[in-house]
């Protein structure tokens, strides 16, 4: 009898440990050498002398309804230092990768803010906990957003049911905001879809 109880206890602990490891790894950190600092005190400045637009992350199709370019721009990298992510990120108060400017066709919106504007607060004093969904539609605090098509590949590590984000205004791309993930230090362009 004692052997059965001991075996059951070991089994329960083993299953629990596996479950804990899976939950802890949910939205796993893909850049273990990059430790994000506190959320930036402000959003990026408008881009000056913008380079050619970056291609979408590998494996992502071109956004539907966007003009095709005759030749893809040269591959550019976001990893500004060894161990930094190959994704748009913030290093201190430097918004690495937010430099393509207003004429980037990937972030053109025909009807900017067609669902209204997000007005619940910007910057590090307004932190929001993701409450569900995924890149195409996620929510927090009764507000709904979607990640811009070109940025879908940059948020595969996000935990859509618990990561903390900070929203910033985007000075270059009308209709978009920037969602900064405080756990990963990565940001993506997001569109406000309205209140729930």
């Amino acid at each position: 009898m004692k052997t059965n109880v001991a075996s059951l206890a070991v089994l329960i602990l083993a299953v629990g440990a596996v479950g804990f490891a899976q939950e802890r790894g949910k939205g796993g950190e893909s850049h273990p050498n990059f430790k994000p600092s506190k959320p930036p005190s402000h959003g990026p400045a408008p881009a000056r002398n913008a380079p050619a637009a970056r291609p979408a992350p590998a494996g992502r199709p071109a956004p539907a309804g966007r003009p095709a370019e005759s030749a893809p721009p040269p591959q550019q990298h976001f990893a500004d230092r060894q161990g930094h992510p190959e994704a748009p990120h913030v290093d201190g108060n430097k918004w690495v990768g937010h430099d393509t400017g207003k004429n980037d066709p990937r972030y053109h919106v025909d009807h900017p803010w067609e669902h209204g504007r997000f007005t619940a607060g910007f910057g590090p004093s307004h932190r929001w906990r993701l409450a569900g969904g995924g890149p195409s539609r996620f929510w927090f605090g009764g507000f709904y957003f979607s990640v811009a098509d070109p940025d879908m590949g940059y948020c595969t590590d996000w935990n859509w049911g618990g990561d903390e984000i900070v929203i910033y205004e985007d000075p270059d791309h009308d209709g978009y905001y920037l969602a900064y993930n405080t756990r990963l230090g990565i940001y993506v362009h997001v569109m406000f879809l309205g209140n729930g």
Side-chain angles (χ1 to χ4, degrees):
M1 176 76 170
K2 286 183 180 181
T3 304
N4 289 343
V5 171
S7 296
L8 182 59
V10 168
L11 179 63
I12 289 171
L13 288 173
V15 170
V18 169
F20 177 77
Q22 286 176 344
E23 182 61 30
R24 186 171 165 86
K26 188 176 183 182
E29 190 165 331
S30 62
H31 314 287
N33 295 330
F34 177 67
K35 300 297 180 204
S37 58
K38 62 182 180 173
S41 59
H42 55 79
R48 292 191 259 176
N49 301 328
R54 288 185 174 87
R60 298 292 309 166
R66 304 265 168 83
E69 296 181 25
S70 57
Q75 179 68 37
Q76 296 182 3
H77 299 283
F78 293 105
D80 57 331
R81 293 186 200 171
Q82 185 176 359
H84 282 207
E86 195 60 65
H89 63 279
V90 178
D91 190 2
N93 268 329
K94 180 182 178 192
W95 291 75
V96 177
H98 201 271
D99 55 5
T100 60
K102 290 188 176 291
N103 295 325
D104 188 335
R106 297 171 307 143
Y107 301 108
H108 172 77
V109 178
D110 287 336
H111 305 285
W113 301 291
E114 68 181 301
H115 303 287
R117 292 182 186 244
F118 177 71
T119 58
F122 300 99
S125 61
H126 301 279
R127 296 178 183 224
W128 305 97
R129 179 95 33 213
L130 296 175
S136 60
R137 183 176 171 90
F138 66 92
W139 54 90
F140 56 82
F143 304 105
Y144 293 81
F145 286 84
S146 67
V147 174
D149 289 344
D151 291 3
M152 290 281 189
Y154 301 129
C155 56
T156 57
D157 293 346
W158 289 33
N159 177 353
W160 298 100
D163 270 353
E164 182 182 76
I165 64 168
V166 177
I167 302 293
Y168 295 89
E169 294 182 273
D170 186 333
D172 292 325
H173 309 113
D174 292 344
Y176 285 106
Y177 298 97
L178 300 169
Y180 172 81
N181 184 306
T182 63
R183 178 176 60 88
L184 299 171
I186 292 172
Y187 69 89
V188 293
H189 291 79
V190 296
M191 182 177 290
F192 180 59
L193 300 178
N195 299 43

